[in-house]
């Protein structure tokens, strides 16, 4: 089988793109507030509509005392999404992660949006429950060269799947299993490594005994990674599914069996089994979290942005209660370097917890942007005194031209 390799010109263009990403990210961080390029990654919530009622879902769990019906209906209009993607392309986006408060495939223009993202040569990853995809859809994912696919599964058998996903048809889990194996076969047939497939399992007291089976299931479907997270429950509502101390200990020992103790969020890590930042703290008894934005520099303001189905734009995944703007009202570029966004960057990188964002964000429990933060930290740590001096001078030049252009608008 012949595996297609990148042409020399494509490799040159990618190297140039990567160089610009690193350079302008460094310049922005050295500025301390302004961003000279767009975010490295944007999480895009197309819709809050969903076909499932997962038991610990923050939005649709049947065990919630109240549900926000208006929130569940929210959906980004196609025209606004296309405009946003074009704008992100112009300001130097690296990757778009389609996720959301619902199932992305329920957006009526999902396939048009995905096709447009790939036409713009932007890396794209999709988070889905995978239950709505048929054989033709799976073939389409491969032909479009989707870069990454996270399948939210929470189970290793039809019985446990129905225990964590209420009111789903009995054949849902077998259908997902067949689809994942078909996806693997199609990738092999075309000689593709993408989409990279992650099986994502949220652990609660209903499925905690299936850790081994979940890993083996992911392997049987030829997934690239098997991810674990603990259920983030709501007190007095979904906390009936919380793990007891003994159950939590069982989970920790099981996962320790599968991963090495020196696992540290390395973005080049080869471990098949991975965990979220909070579970990582429990595994290795970390007293301080790398992701604790209130005690260590946070570069997220230059690296990431979250766009919700309502149009709200947030600093990070933990700060949705304090949006910085709304793309239904303003251009993303304007929001990205707004006064509020710049204040967040300045406060986060200096560890200033007085900024309002930190009062509502749950940084201490674990950061969803840890890989972005580590990438930014790495490109700064390696700078010697002379390189930092040169970049600081270049940043001052960029700042001068920026102020000049703003003054003459």
């Amino acid at each position: 089988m012949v595996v297609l390799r990148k042409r020399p010109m494509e490799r040159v263009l990618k190297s140039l793109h990567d160089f610009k990403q690193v350079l302008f990210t460094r310049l922005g961080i050295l500025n301390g507030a302004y961003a000279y390029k767009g975010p490295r990654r944007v999480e895009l919530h197309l819709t809050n509509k969903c076909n499932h009622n997962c038991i610990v879902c923050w939005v649709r769990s049947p065990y919630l005392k109240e549900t926000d019906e208006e929130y569940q209906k929210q959906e980004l209009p196609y025209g606004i999404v296309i405009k946003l993607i074009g704008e992100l392309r112009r300001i130097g986006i690296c990757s778009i992660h389609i996720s959301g408060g619902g199932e992305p495939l329920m957006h009526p223009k999902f396939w048009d949006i995905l096709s447009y993202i790939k036409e713009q040569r932007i890396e794209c990853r999709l988070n889905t429950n995978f239950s709505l995809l048929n054989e033709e859809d799976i073939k389409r994912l491969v032909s479009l060269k989707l870069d990454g696919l996270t399948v939210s599964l929470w189970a290793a058998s039809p019985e446990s799947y129905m225990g964590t996903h209420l009111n789903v048809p009995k054949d849902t889990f077998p259908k997902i299993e067949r689809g994942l194996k078909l996806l693997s076969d199609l990738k092999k047939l075309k000689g593709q490594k993408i989409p990279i497939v992650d099986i994502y399992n949220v652990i609660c007291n209903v499925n905690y005994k299936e850790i081994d089976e979940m890993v083996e299931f992911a392997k049987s479907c030829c997934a690239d990674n098997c991810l674990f997270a603990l259920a983030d429950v709501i007190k007095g509502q979904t906390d009936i599914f919380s793990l007891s101390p003994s159950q939590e200990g069982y989970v920790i020992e099981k996962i320790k069996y599968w991963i090495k103790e020196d696992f540290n969020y390395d973005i080049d890590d080869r471990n098949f089994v991975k965990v979220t930042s909070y579970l990582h703290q429990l595994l290795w008894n970390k007293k301080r979290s790398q992701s604790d934005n209130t005690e260590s520099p946070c570069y997220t303001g230059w690296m990431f942005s979250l766009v919700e189905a309502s149009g709200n734009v947030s600093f990070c995944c933990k700060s949705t209660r304090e949006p910085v703007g709304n793309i239904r009202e303003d251009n993303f570029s304007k929001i990205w370097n707004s006064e509020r966004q710049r204040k967040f960057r300045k406060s986060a990188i200096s560890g200033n917890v007085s900024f309002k964002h930190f009062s509502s964000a749950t940084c201490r429990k674990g950061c969803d942007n840890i890989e972005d933060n580590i990438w930014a930290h790495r490109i700064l740590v390696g700078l010697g005194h002379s390189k930092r001096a040169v970049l600081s001078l270049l940043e001052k030049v960029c700042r001068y031209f920026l102020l000049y252009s703003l003054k003459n608008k």
Side-chain angles (χ1 to χ4, degrees):
M1 183 180 296
V2 177
V3 178
L4 297 177
R5 299 182 181 276
K6 288 184 179 179
R7 297 174 182 175
M9 184 54 68
E10 289 178 340
R11 291 198 295 268
V12 170
L13 291 174
K14 185 179 185 308
S15 297
L16 180 60
H17 179 267
D18 293 345
F19 172 78
K20 288 169 62 179
Q21 287 288 328
V22 172
L23 174 62
F24 287 108
T25 299
R26 281 171 169 166
L27 293 177
I29 294 172
L30 288 173
N31 175 277
Y34 193 82
Y36 291 107
K37 61 170 289 299
R40 182 171 181 246
R41 178 169 66 95
V42 166
E43 183 171 318
L44 178 59
H45 295 185
L46 295 178
T47 180
N48 290 335
K49 297 176 183 178
C50 192
N51 61 322
H52 281 176
N53 296 87
C54 303
I55 57 174
V56 293
C57 177
W58 305 322
V59 180
R60 287 180 180 75
S61 172
Y63 298 90
L64 295 175
K65 293 178 181 178
E66 294 182 1
T67 57
D68 188 341
E69 293 186 5
E70 287 304 312
Y71 175 87
Q72 294 182 26
K73 296 176 183 177
Q74 288 175 349
E75 192 168 82
L76 280 173
Y78 175 69
I80 288 180
V81 175
I82 295 302
K83 178 184 175 184
L84 172 66
I85 293 167
E87 194 173 359
L88 292 173
R89 174 82 166 84
R90 288 192 296 274
I91 63 175
I93 183 73
C94 276
S95 180
I96 293 176
H97 290 202
I98 301 177
S99 183
E103 168 54 47
L105 278 98
M106 292 196 72
H107 192 287
K109 292 286 189 176
F110 168 79
W111 291 106
D112 294 321
I113 291 168
L114 178 60
S115 298
Y116 185 70
I117 292 172
K118 294 307 298 180
E119 285 172 10
Q120 299 301 306
R121 298 185 178 182
I122 299 173
E123 179 185 278
C124 185
R125 298 171 182 269
L126 170 66
N127 194 322
T128 173
N129 62 38
F130 209 73
S131 64
L132 296 176
L133 292 164
N134 57 35
E135 184 174 332
E136 291 304 312
D137 293 332
I138 294 170
K139 289 178 180 178
R140 200 169 179 181
L141 289 180
V142 176
S143 64
L144 285 172
K145 296 186 178 179
L146 178 71
D147 297 276
L149 180 70
T150 299
V151 179
S152 183
L153 201 58
W154 305 20
S157 66
E159 294 74 24
S160 63
Y161 189 83
M162 294 184 71
T164 53
H165 301 73
L166 302 183
N167 304 317
V168 297
K170 290 182 179 180
D171 65 341
T172 303
F173 186 86
K175 177 189 174 185
I176 292 172
E177 183 176 11
R178 291 193 300 272
L180 288 169
K181 290 179 177 178
L182 171 63
L183 177 62
S184 174
D185 291 340
L186 291 171
K187 285 164 60 178
K188 291 175 183 176
L189 184 64
K190 289 184 172 287
Q192 290 182 201
K193 291 184 178 181
I194 56 173
I196 299 296
V197 178
D198 297 337
I199 303 296
Y200 185 71
N201 294 297
V202 175
I203 304 302
C204 61
N205 61 18
V206 173
N207 61 2
Y208 78 98
K209 287 189 175 181
E210 282 197 339
I211 300 294
D212 291 343
E213 291 80 2
M214 288 173 177
V215 176
E216 294 300 339
F217 176 84
K219 288 183 175 180
S220 72
C221 294
C222 300
D224 297 279
N225 299 292
C226 184
L227 280 63
F228 288 99
L230 295 186
D232 192 357
V233 297
I234 300 173
K235 188 175 181 180
Q237 300 182 69
T238 57
D239 56 355
I240 59 174
F241 298 108
S242 296
L243 296 173
S244 68
S246 62
Q247 291 170 342
E248 189 176 277
Y250 176 88
V251 170
I252 288 172
E253 290 308 310
K254 279 292 181 183
I255 294 180
K256 275 187 176 181
Y257 171 79
W258 289 103
I259 66 177
K260 299 175 183 178
E261 186 168 352
D262 60 359
F263 174 62
N264 61 355
Y265 303 105
D266 192 326
I267 56 176
D268 297 318
D269 184 76
R270 301 301 178 188
N271 285 317
F272 179 73
V273 175
K274 292 180 170 60
V275 295
T276 59
S277 58
Y278 178 58
L279 184 50
H280 178 265
Q281 295 173 54
L282 295 179
L283 283 172
W284 313 123
N285 296 315
K286 299 290 185 183
K287 293 183 179 179
R288 284 187 61 192
S289 167
Q290 282 183 312
S291 60
D292 191 342
N293 292 344
T294 63
E295 294 184 7
S296 60
C298 170
Y299 309 101
T300 304
W302 288 273
M303 305 296 297
F304 176 84
S305 192
L306 169 64
V307 181
E308 297 186 88
S310 63
N312 280 345
V313 179
S314 299
F315 306 120
C316 68
C317 296
K318 300 294 187 184
S319 64
T320 54
R321 295 178 184 176
E322 297 292 335
V324 66
N326 191 295
I327 59 167
R328 294 173 186 258
E329 301 167 3
D330 286 313
N331 291 332
F332 181 85
S333 298
K334 183 178 178 180
I335 298 170
W336 180 239
N337 267 313
S338 64
E339 182 181 357
R340 184 165 167 73
Q341 179 77 24
R342 296 197 305 272
K343 282 183 178 179
F344 164 71
R345 293 188 185 115
K346 190 174 181 179
S347 299
I349 199 169
S350 64
N352 179 8
V353 297
S354 63
F355 190 63
K356 191 176 180 181
H357 157 79
F358 295 109
S359 64
S360 63
T362 53
C363 305
R364 290 180 181 275
K365 192 170 182 181
C367 176
D368 294 319
N369 302 103
I370 187 68
E371 289 191 1
D372 297 316
N373 213 47
I374 289 175
W375 183 87
H377 187 65
R378 284 178 174 173
I379 66 173
L380 291 174
V381 167
L383 290 175
H385 178 74
S386 58
K387 286 184 179 179
R388 186 176 287 269
V390 170
L391 284 173
S392 295
L393 178 61
L394 181 58
E395 192 282 318
K396 289 178 181 178
V397 173
C398 289
R399 194 188 317 173
Y400 171 80
F401 281 106
L402 171 67
L403 294 172
Y404 180 81
S405 63
L406 291 174
K407 184 179 179 180
N408 289 276
K409 270 191 175 181

mmCIF file of all heavy atoms in Angstrom, residues 315-347:
data_model
loop_
_atom_site.group_PDB
_atom_site.id
_atom_site.type_symbol
_atom_site.label_atom_id
_atom_site.label_comp_id
_atom_site.label_asym_id
_atom_site.label_seq_id
_atom_site.Cartn_x
_atom_site.Cartn_y
_atom_site.Cartn_z
ATOM 1 N N PHE A 315 -12.910 33.482 27.277
ATOM 2 C CA PHE A 315 -11.461 33.374 27.379
ATOM 3 C C PHE A 315 -11.002 31.923 27.285
ATOM 4 O O PHE A 315 -10.027 31.596 26.627
ATOM 5 C CB PHE A 315 -10.985 33.918 28.737
ATOM 6 C CG PHE A 315 -11.429 35.308 29.050
ATOM 7 C CD1 PHE A 315 -12.201 35.570 30.171
ATOM 8 C CD2 PHE A 315 -11.063 36.360 28.228
ATOM 9 C CE1 PHE A 315 -12.596 36.860 30.471
ATOM 10 C CE2 PHE A 315 -11.459 37.658 28.529
ATOM 11 C CZ PHE A 315 -12.234 37.903 29.661
ATOM 12 N N CYS A 316 -11.726 31.042 28.013
ATOM 13 C CA CYS A 316 -11.317 29.633 28.073
ATOM 14 C C CYS A 316 -12.535 28.792 28.409
ATOM 15 O O CYS A 316 -13.644 29.309 28.587
ATOM 16 C CB CYS A 316 -10.211 29.438 29.121
ATOM 17 S SG CYS A 316 -10.762 29.678 30.829
ATOM 18 N N CYS A 317 -12.348 27.479 28.507
ATOM 19 C CA CYS A 317 -13.466 26.562 28.742
ATOM 20 C C CYS A 317 -14.088 26.738 30.130
ATOM 21 O O CYS A 317 -15.219 26.318 30.359
ATOM 22 C CB CYS A 317 -12.994 25.116 28.579
ATOM 23 S SG CYS A 317 -12.458 24.706 26.908
ATOM 24 N N LYS A 318 -13.344 27.319 31.061
ATOM 25 C CA LYS A 318 -13.814 27.455 32.435
ATOM 26 C C LYS A 318 -14.466 28.806 32.710
ATOM 27 O O LYS A 318 -14.857 29.068 33.842
ATOM 28 C CB LYS A 318 -12.640 27.256 33.402
ATOM 29 C CG LYS A 318 -11.951 25.902 33.315
ATOM 30 C CD LYS A 318 -12.858 24.772 33.739
ATOM 31 C CE LYS A 318 -12.098 23.449 33.814
ATOM 32 N NZ LYS A 318 -12.990 22.326 34.145
ATOM 33 N N SER A 319 -14.549 29.675 31.721
ATOM 34 C CA SER A 319 -14.989 31.047 31.998
ATOM 35 C C SER A 319 -16.233 31.450 31.214
ATOM 36 O O SER A 319 -16.405 32.614 30.870
ATOM 37 C CB SER A 319 -13.856 32.021 31.690
ATOM 38 O OG SER A 319 -13.534 31.995 30.315
ATOM 39 N N THR A 320 -17.118 30.495 30.938
ATOM 40 C CA THR A 320 -18.291 30.796 30.118
ATOM 41 C C THR A 320 -19.286 31.730 30.813
ATOM 42 O O THR A 320 -20.144 32.309 30.159
ATOM 43 C CB THR A 320 -19.012 29.488 29.729
ATOM 44 O OG1 THR A 320 -19.299 28.726 30.911
ATOM 45 C CG2 THR A 320 -18.138 28.652 28.796
ATOM 46 N N ARG A 321 -19.167 31.869 32.133
ATOM 47 C CA ARG A 321 -20.051 32.797 32.847
ATOM 48 C C ARG A 321 -19.625 34.246 32.660
ATOM 49 O O ARG A 321 -20.353 35.169 33.030
ATOM 50 C CB ARG A 321 -20.079 32.456 34.342
ATOM 51 C CG ARG A 321 -20.701 31.094 34.653
ATOM 52 C CD ARG A 321 -20.656 30.811 36.139
ATOM 53 N NE ARG A 321 -21.165 29.480 36.458
ATOM 54 C CZ ARG A 321 -21.165 28.945 37.677
ATOM 55 N NH1 ARG A 321 -20.681 29.652 38.690
ATOM 56 N NH2 ARG A 321 -21.632 27.739 37.883
ATOM 57 N N GLU A 322 -18.429 34.444 32.129
ATOM 58 C CA GLU A 322 -17.893 35.793 31.922
ATOM 59 C C GLU A 322 -17.460 35.971 30.468
ATOM 60 O O GLU A 322 -16.271 36.099 30.168
ATOM 61 C CB GLU A 322 -16.704 36.037 32.866
ATOM 62 C CG GLU A 322 -17.034 35.994 34.332
ATOM 63 C CD GLU A 322 -17.907 37.159 34.762
ATOM 64 O OE1 GLU A 322 -17.877 38.212 34.087
ATOM 65 O OE2 GLU A 322 -18.626 37.023 35.767
ATOM 66 N N PRO A 323 -18.394 35.961 29.514
ATOM 67 C CA PRO A 323 -18.010 36.103 28.094
ATOM 68 C C PRO A 323 -17.352 37.443 27.822
ATOM 69 O O PRO A 323 -17.646 38.444 28.481
ATOM 70 C CB PRO A 323 -19.343 35.961 27.349
ATOM 71 C CG PRO A 323 -20.386 36.316 28.357
ATOM 72 C CD PRO A 323 -19.853 35.855 29.675
ATOM 73 N N VAL A 324 -16.462 37.436 26.822
ATOM 74 C CA VAL A 324 -15.740 38.662 26.477
ATOM 75 C C VAL A 324 -16.422 39.419 25.340
ATOM 76 O O VAL A 324 -16.135 40.583 25.093
ATOM 77 C CB VAL A 324 -14.273 38.322 26.119
ATOM 78 C CG1 VAL A 324 -14.205 37.505 24.855
ATOM 79 C CG2 VAL A 324 -13.420 39.562 25.991
ATOM 80 N N GLY A 325 -17.351 38.757 24.654
ATOM 81 C CA GLY A 325 -18.057 39.385 23.545
ATOM 82 C C GLY A 325 -18.986 38.388 22.880
ATOM 83 O O GLY A 325 -19.174 37.275 23.377
ATOM 84 N N ASN A 326 -19.576 38.787 21.746
ATOM 85 C CA ASN A 326 -20.512 37.916 21.037
ATOM 86 C C ASN A 326 -20.363 38.137 19.531
ATOM 87 O O ASN A 326 -20.432 39.278 19.058
ATOM 88 C CB ASN A 326 -21.946 38.205 21.472
ATOM 89 C CG ASN A 326 -22.929 37.172 20.977
ATOM 90 O OD1 ASN A 326 -23.154 37.022 19.778
ATOM 91 N ND2 ASN A 326 -23.535 36.435 21.899
ATOM 92 N N ILE A 327 -20.144 37.049 18.781
ATOM 93 C CA ILE A 327 -19.898 37.186 17.337
ATOM 94 C C ILE A 327 -21.167 37.523 16.555
ATOM 95 O O ILE A 327 -21.092 37.835 15.365
ATOM 96 C CB ILE A 327 -19.252 35.919 16.735
ATOM 97 C CG1 ILE A 327 -20.157 34.689 16.949
ATOM 98 C CG2 ILE A 327 -17.860 35.694 17.302
ATOM 99 C CD1 ILE A 327 -19.727 33.493 16.127
ATOM 100 N N ARG A 328 -22.318 37.496 17.199
ATOM 101 C CA ARG A 328 -23.547 37.959 16.549
ATOM 102 C C ARG A 328 -23.587 39.495 16.522
ATOM 103 O O ARG A 328 -24.372 40.082 15.785
ATOM 104 C CB ARG A 328 -24.773 37.424 17.280
ATOM 105 C CG ARG A 328 -24.942 35.901 17.207
ATOM 106 C CD ARG A 328 -26.079 35.454 18.101
ATOM 107 N NE ARG A 328 -26.194 34.002 18.180
ATOM 108 C CZ ARG A 328 -27.087 33.266 17.536
ATOM 109 N NH1 ARG A 328 -27.939 33.857 16.716
ATOM 110 N NH2 ARG A 328 -27.129 31.953 17.688
ATOM 111 N N GLU A 329 -22.730 40.111 17.365
ATOM 112 C CA GLU A 329 -22.734 41.565 17.499
ATOM 113 C C GLU A 329 -21.443 42.212 16.996
ATOM 114 O O GLU A 329 -21.466 43.341 16.503
ATOM 115 C CB GLU A 329 -22.940 41.937 18.974
ATOM 116 C CG GLU A 329 -24.240 41.398 19.558
ATOM 117 C CD GLU A 329 -24.294 41.499 21.065
ATOM 118 O OE1 GLU A 329 -23.328 42.049 21.662
ATOM 119 O OE2 GLU A 329 -25.281 41.022 21.661
ATOM 120 N N ASP A 330 -20.303 41.520 17.137
ATOM 121 C CA ASP A 330 -19.008 42.083 16.746
ATOM 122 C C ASP A 330 -18.192 41.065 15.957
ATOM 123 O O ASP A 330 -18.412 39.856 16.072
ATOM 124 C CB ASP A 330 -18.189 42.487 17.978
ATOM 125 C CG ASP A 330 -18.708 43.753 18.627
ATOM 126 O OD1 ASP A 330 -18.958 44.729 17.891
ATOM 127 O OD2 ASP A 330 -18.870 43.760 19.855
ATOM 128 N N ASN A 331 -17.232 41.553 15.178
ATOM 129 C CA ASN A 331 -16.288 40.676 14.510
ATOM 130 C C ASN A 331 -15.395 40.005 15.547
ATOM 131 O O ASN A 331 -15.066 40.596 16.583
ATOM 132 C CB ASN A 331 -15.413 41.467 13.531
ATOM 133 C CG ASN A 331 -16.211 41.966 12.347
ATOM 134 O OD1 ASN A 331 -17.216 41.364 11.959
ATOM 135 N ND2 ASN A 331 -15.778 43.077 11.768
ATOM 136 N N PHE A 332 -14.970 38.792 15.249
ATOM 137 C CA PHE A 332 -14.118 38.072 16.190
ATOM 138 C C PHE A 332 -12.807 38.822 16.437
ATOM 139 O O PHE A 332 -12.322 38.886 17.568
ATOM 140 C CB PHE A 332 -13.814 36.655 15.675
ATOM 141 C CG PHE A 332 -12.964 35.861 16.624
ATOM 142 C CD1 PHE A 332 -13.533 35.154 17.673
ATOM 143 C CD2 PHE A 332 -11.577 35.829 16.488
ATOM 144 C CE1 PHE A 332 -12.751 34.445 18.570
ATOM 145 C CE2 PHE A 332 -10.784 35.120 17.375
ATOM 146 C CZ PHE A 332 -11.377 34.425 18.415
ATOM 147 N N SER A 333 -12.226 39.401 15.377
ATOM 148 C CA SER A 333 -10.950 40.114 15.517
ATOM 149 C C SER A 333 -11.055 41.255 16.526
ATOM 150 O O SER A 333 -10.128 41.496 17.307
ATOM 151 C CB SER A 333 -10.501 40.675 14.164
ATOM 152 O OG SER A 333 -10.286 39.647 13.237
ATOM 153 N N LYS A 334 -12.187 41.935 16.509
ATOM 154 C CA LYS A 334 -12.405 43.029 17.448
ATOM 155 C C LYS A 334 -12.482 42.497 18.877
ATOM 156 O O LYS A 334 -11.921 43.088 19.816
ATOM 157 C CB LYS A 334 -13.683 43.780 17.083
ATOM 158 C CG LYS A 334 -13.974 44.983 17.957
ATOM 159 C CD LYS A 334 -15.235 45.688 17.494
ATOM 160 C CE LYS A 334 -15.561 46.873 18.405
ATOM 161 N NZ LYS A 334 -16.807 47.563 17.960
ATOM 162 N N ILE A 335 -13.176 41.383 19.058
ATOM 163 C CA ILE A 335 -13.305 40.765 20.379
ATOM 164 C C ILE A 335 -11.959 40.246 20.866
ATOM 165 O O ILE A 335 -11.602 40.402 22.036
ATOM 166 C CB ILE A 335 -14.333 39.610 20.331
ATOM 167 C CG1 ILE A 335 -15.715 40.147 19.954
ATOM 168 C CG2 ILE A 335 -14.388 38.871 21.656
ATOM 169 C CD1 ILE A 335 -16.735 39.072 19.646
ATOM 170 N N TRP A 336 -11.197 39.640 19.944
ATOM 171 C CA TRP A 336 -9.932 38.972 20.283
ATOM 172 C C TRP A 336 -8.916 39.930 20.898
ATOM 173 O O TRP A 336 -8.128 39.532 21.752
ATOM 174 C CB TRP A 336 -9.373 38.314 19.030
ATOM 175 C CG TRP A 336 -8.069 37.588 19.194
ATOM 176 C CD1 TRP A 336 -6.908 37.839 18.531
ATOM 177 C CD2 TRP A 336 -7.808 36.472 20.046
ATOM 178 N NE1 TRP A 336 -5.928 36.958 18.917
ATOM 179 C CE2 TRP A 336 -6.454 36.102 19.847
ATOM 180 C CE3 TRP A 336 -8.568 35.755 20.967
ATOM 181 C CZ2 TRP A 336 -5.854 35.053 20.539
ATOM 182 C CZ3 TRP A 336 -7.969 34.703 21.659
ATOM 183 C CH2 TRP A 336 -6.638 34.357 21.442
ATOM 184 N N ASN A 337 -8.933 41.181 20.473
ATOM 185 C CA ASN A 337 -8.008 42.157 21.060
ATOM 186 C C ASN A 337 -8.747 43.311 21.730
ATOM 187 O O ASN A 337 -8.242 44.433 21.808
ATOM 188 C CB ASN A 337 -7.037 42.687 19.998
ATOM 189 C CG ASN A 337 -5.746 41.882 19.955
ATOM 190 O OD1 ASN A 337 -5.145 41.600 20.998
ATOM 191 N ND2 ASN A 337 -5.336 41.488 18.759
ATOM 192 N N SER A 338 -9.927 42.999 22.247
ATOM 193 C CA SER A 338 -10.698 44.006 22.972
ATOM 194 C C SER A 338 -10.020 44.334 24.298
ATOM 195 O O SER A 338 -9.130 43.624 24.770
ATOM 196 C CB SER A 338 -12.108 43.486 23.243
ATOM 197 O OG SER A 338 -12.056 42.351 24.096
ATOM 198 N N GLU A 339 -10.446 45.423 24.908
ATOM 199 C CA GLU A 339 -9.862 45.841 26.193
ATOM 200 C C GLU A 339 -10.041 44.755 27.249
ATOM 201 O O GLU A 339 -9.133 44.474 28.037
ATOM 202 C CB GLU A 339 -10.529 47.138 26.664
ATOM 203 C CG GLU A 339 -9.951 47.671 27.975
ATOM 204 C CD GLU A 339 -10.634 48.946 28.430
ATOM 205 O OE1 GLU A 339 -11.514 49.445 27.697
ATOM 206 O OE2 GLU A 339 -10.287 49.446 29.520
ATOM 207 N N ARG A 340 -11.193 44.119 27.250
ATOM 208 C CA ARG A 340 -11.468 43.065 28.244
ATOM 209 C C ARG A 340 -10.564 41.854 28.036
ATOM 210 O O ARG A 340 -10.046 41.277 28.997
ATOM 211 C CB ARG A 340 -12.934 42.657 28.161
ATOM 212 C CG ARG A 340 -13.350 41.640 29.193
ATOM 213 C CD ARG A 340 -14.868 41.569 29.294
ATOM 214 N NE ARG A 340 -15.305 40.401 30.042
ATOM 215 C CZ ARG A 340 -15.205 40.261 31.352
ATOM 216 N NH1 ARG A 340 -14.677 41.221 32.070
ATOM 217 N NH2 ARG A 340 -15.634 39.169 31.941
ATOM 218 N N GLN A 341 -10.365 41.466 26.784
ATOM 219 C CA GLN A 341 -9.485 40.334 26.492
ATOM 220 C C GLN A 341 -8.045 40.656 26.892
ATOM 221 O O GLN A 341 -7.337 39.818 27.454
ATOM 222 C CB GLN A 341 -9.550 39.984 25.006
ATOM 223 C CG GLN A 341 -8.657 38.818 24.572
ATOM 224 C CD GLN A 341 -9.228 37.459 24.940
ATOM 225 O OE1 GLN A 341 -10.424 37.300 25.120
ATOM 226 N NE2 GLN A 341 -8.364 36.476 25.055
ATOM 227 N N ARG A 342 -7.603 41.881 26.619
ATOM 228 C CA ARG A 342 -6.243 42.277 26.973
ATOM 229 C C ARG A 342 -6.050 42.305 28.494
ATOM 230 O O ARG A 342 -4.998 41.927 28.996
ATOM 231 C CB ARG A 342 -5.899 43.640 26.369
ATOM 232 C CG ARG A 342 -5.873 43.647 24.844
ATOM 233 C CD ARG A 342 -5.138 44.857 24.282
ATOM 234 N NE ARG A 342 -5.652 46.107 24.777
ATOM 235 C CZ ARG A 342 -6.649 46.795 24.234
ATOM 236 N NH1 ARG A 342 -7.262 46.315 23.147
ATOM 237 N NH2 ARG A 342 -7.051 47.944 24.735
ATOM 238 N N LYS A 343 -7.098 42.730 29.226
ATOM 239 C CA LYS A 343 -7.022 42.732 30.688
ATOM 240 C C LYS A 343 -6.900 41.313 31.222
ATOM 241 O O LYS A 343 -6.159 41.052 32.176
ATOM 242 C CB LYS A 343 -8.265 43.408 31.278
ATOM 243 C CG LYS A 343 -8.228 44.923 31.218
ATOM 244 C CD LYS A 343 -9.465 45.510 31.893
ATOM 245 C CE LYS A 343 -9.413 47.033 31.885
ATOM 246 N NZ LYS A 343 -10.633 47.618 32.516
ATOM 247 N N PHE A 344 -7.630 40.396 30.594
ATOM 248 C CA PHE A 344 -7.540 38.992 31.012
ATOM 249 C C PHE A 344 -6.128 38.447 30.802
ATOM 250 O O PHE A 344 -5.561 37.803 31.684
ATOM 251 C CB PHE A 344 -8.544 38.134 30.239
ATOM 252 C CG PHE A 344 -8.256 36.657 30.341
ATOM 253 C CD1 PHE A 344 -8.462 35.987 31.530
ATOM 254 C CD2 PHE A 344 -7.760 35.955 29.255
ATOM 255 C CE1 PHE A 344 -8.175 34.625 31.643
ATOM 256 C CE2 PHE A 344 -7.471 34.607 29.351
ATOM 257 C CZ PHE A 344 -7.689 33.937 30.553
ATOM 258 N N ARG A 345 -5.560 38.704 29.627
ATOM 259 C CA ARG A 345 -4.208 38.216 29.342
ATOM 260 C C ARG A 345 -3.211 38.745 30.375
ATOM 261 O O ARG A 345 -2.384 37.991 30.896
ATOM 262 C CB ARG A 345 -3.777 38.649 27.939
ATOM 263 C CG ARG A 345 -4.556 38.003 26.805
ATOM 264 C CD ARG A 345 -3.924 38.344 25.468
ATOM 265 N NE ARG A 345 -4.724 37.843 24.364
ATOM 266 C CZ ARG A 345 -5.341 38.605 23.468
ATOM 267 N NH1 ARG A 345 -5.224 39.932 23.535
ATOM 268 N NH2 ARG A 345 -6.062 38.077 22.511
ATOM 269 N N LYS A 346 -3.305 40.032 30.640
ATOM 270 C CA LYS A 346 -2.373 40.665 31.568
ATOM 271 C C LYS A 346 -2.507 40.084 32.970
ATOM 272 O O LYS A 346 -1.496 39.817 33.650
ATOM 273 C CB LYS A 346 -2.633 42.175 31.597
ATOM 274 C CG LYS A 346 -1.585 42.983 32.337
ATOM 275 C CD LYS A 346 -1.855 44.475 32.178
ATOM 276 C CE LYS A 346 -0.778 45.300 32.899
ATOM 277 N NZ LYS A 346 -1.032 46.758 32.720
ATOM 278 N N SER A 347 -3.732 39.858 33.410
ATOM 279 C CA SER A 347 -3.972 39.305 34.740
ATOM 280 C C SER A 347 -3.549 37.841 34.833
ATOM 281 O O SER A 347 -2.936 37.416 35.812
ATOM 282 C CB SER A 347 -5.456 39.434 35.111
ATOM 283 O OG SER A 347 -5.854 40.781 35.146
#
